[in-house]
Amino acid sequence: MIDSHAGGLDAPAWVERWDRQQSRYVPNRDSTIRLMFDLVDDLEATPGQLVDLGCGPGTLLNRARQRWPHAQLAGIDLDPVLLRLARSTLGGTAQLIESDLRRANDVDLAPASVDTVVSMTALHWLSEEDLPQLSQWLAAVVRRGGVFVDYDTMELAPTVPRLKQAAHALRARLRDDALDEPDSESWDQWWNALRLEPALAAEFAERTRRFAFRQTANAGLSLESLRTALLEAGFAEVAPLSQVADRHLLVAVR
C-alpha cells in the first residue's frame, strides 16, 4: 500500500501542483506525453522495461504505468526532494534509482535489458561534455530496436543565429503567456512553497549540497550535440519528430 501522506506530507497534492506548474513551461504537455508514448508503440518498442531519466516526482512514470500496466518501470534522479515525492506516490510500482546522470555508468542495469528510455525536461541540466558517457550507457542498456525518446529544450545550431534568437523569444513568450493565466504557479513559486514543508527539511539540505554545481549555469544542450553523441554511441537512427520553438522531441532507435 502506498503511504502518500507519510510524515504529514500530502505528496499527491504536491505532485498535482508540479504537473500544473510544468504545464506552464511545456505547451500541450499532456498531448506531448501521449505523443511520446504513441511513438514508442509505433516503433514496436512497447516496453517490458521502461526507464525514465530525470524522473523527478514520477509523473511520467505514473502515466507510463497507466499506459503499460505490465511493464517494469524504473526512474533515475539525483534530487532527494523530488524522489521523496515519487516514492510517496508511486510506492513499489516503480524502481527509483538515486544517481547522477553525469555519471550514468554508475547505474547498474543489465546490458540490452531496456526496451524504452524516456526523458522530459531533464537533460538540459547536463553539459555537452556529459553527453558521450550518457549516450554510451544508453546504447549499452537499450536492446536492439529499442528506443530513447527525449523532450527538452535543445539549442538550434549557431549557423542559424537569427532563428536561434527567435526560438528563444518564442519559448519565453509562450511561457509568459501561460504564467499570466489565473492561479498559475511558476517553478520558483512551487519550490519556495514546498521548501516550507517541515517533513522535507533533511531532503532540502541534501539537495542544496548535491546541486551546488548548478550555481554556474551551463550554456545549454544543442540538438545536434545530443544527436551526434547518440549516433556515435551506436544508435541506428536519431531525429527530431516534433518541435515547439527550441523544444524538441528527439527520438533515437537502437
Side-chain angles (χ1 to χ4, degrees), residues 18 49-62 72-84 86-87 90 94-110 113-114 116-123 125-126 133-134 137-138 141-142 148 150 210-211 214:
W18 168 270
Q49 183 166 355
L50 176 145
V51 176
D52 180 6
L53 301 185
C55 65
T59 58
L60 204 59
L61 287 171
N62 184 52
Q72 295 181 2
L73 305 177
I76 304 171
D77 209 296
L78 187 61
D79 193 319
V81 174
L82 297 182
L83 285 171
R84 169 76 179 275
R87 291 189 187 99
L90 293 171
Q95 178 189 10
L96 295 173
I97 301 168
E98 200 160 342
S99 190
D100 189 342
L101 292 175
R102 296 176 301 163
R103 293 182 287 276
N105 289 336
D106 293 344
V107 180
D108 187 17
L109 291 176
S113 63
V114 179
T116 298
V117 178
V118 295
S119 187
M120 190 172 203
T121 61
L123 300 188
W125 291 108
L126 302 179
Q133 182 185 143
L134 176 63
W137 175 81
L138 283 168
V141 301
V142 175
F148 170 50
D150 178 33
R210 288 185 186 180
F211 292 145
R214 288 186 181 172

Side-chain angles (χ1 to χ4, degrees), residues 10 53 62 195 228 249:
D10 188 352
L53 301 185
N62 184 52
R195 196 180 298 274
T228 298
L249 177 56

Side-chain angles (χ1 to χ4, degrees), residues 36 142 149 246:
M36 293 171 70
V142 175
V149 183
D246 52 6

